[in-house]
C-alpha cells in the first residue's frame, strides 16, 4: 500500500521546463532566459531547468537562434536535436548528470 508520501513529495518539487522531470533540491539546476540577455532578454522571462538540459540547449542553439525562433519551452521541445535529447534523458533519474559533450555551437548544421 502506498502511503502517498512519494507522490506528495514529487508533486511539490519543480519540474524542468525542457524535459518535464522533477528537479530535486540537491540537483544542479539553473534559470534559462527564454530570450538571451545579450539579445534583449535581460529582466525577461526565465524557466527552471536541470543543468544538463540547460547545457544541451546552449550546445544545440546559438543565442541568435534562441532569440529568433526558440524563445518558448514549446519551441525548444520541438527542436529536432533537443527532442532527441529529451527522449534520451527521460529514461534517466531526475538527479542524473553527465558532462555535455561537443562543441558549444556546432558549425555547418542544416
Amino acid at each position: 500500500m502506498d502511503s502517498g508520501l512519494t507522490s506528495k513529495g514529487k508533486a511539490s518539487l519543480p519540474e524542468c521546463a525542457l524535459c518535464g522531470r522533477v528537479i530535486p533540491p540537491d540537483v544542479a539546476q539553473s534559470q534559462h532566459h527564454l530570450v538571451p540577455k545579450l539579445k534583449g532578454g535581460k529582466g525577461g522571462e526565465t524557466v527552471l531547468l536541470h543543468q544538463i538540459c540547460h547545457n544541451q540547449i546552449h550546445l544545440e542553439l546559438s543565442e541568435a537562434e534562441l532569440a529568433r525562433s526558440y524563445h518558448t519551452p514549446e519551441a525548444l521541445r520541438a527542436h529536432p536535436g533537443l527532442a532527441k535529447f529529451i527522449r534520451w534523458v527521460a529514461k534517466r533519474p531526475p538527479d542524473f548528470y553527465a558532462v555535455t559533450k561537443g562543441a558549444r555551437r556546432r558549425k555547418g548544421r542544416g
Side-chain angles (χ1 to χ4, degrees), residues 47-65:
V47 292
L48 186 64
L49 303 171
H50 289 103
Q51 187 63 51
I52 192 172
C53 295
H54 198 186
N55 293 351
Q56 192 67 29
I57 288 170
H58 289 284
L59 173 70
E60 294 283 343
L61 298 163
S62 69
E63 304 249 324
E65 290 170 317

Side-chain angles (χ1 to χ4, degrees), residues 3-4 10 27-29 34 39-40 42 51 53-54 61-62 64 75 80 84-85 93 97 99:
S3 66
K10 285 184 179 177
V27 170
Q29 55 189 279
L34 290 173
K39 298 291 182 179
K42 187 175 181 184
Q51 187 63 51
C53 295
H54 198 186
L61 298 163
S62 69
K84 181 179 177 182
F85 168 79
Y97 183 80
V99 175

Side-chain angles (χ1 to χ4, degrees), residues 5-6 9 14 35 38 43 70 78 80 88 91 99-100:
L5 182 61
T6 304
V35 175
L38 293 174
Y70 296 97
W88 175 80
K91 299 173 189 168
V99 175
T100 307

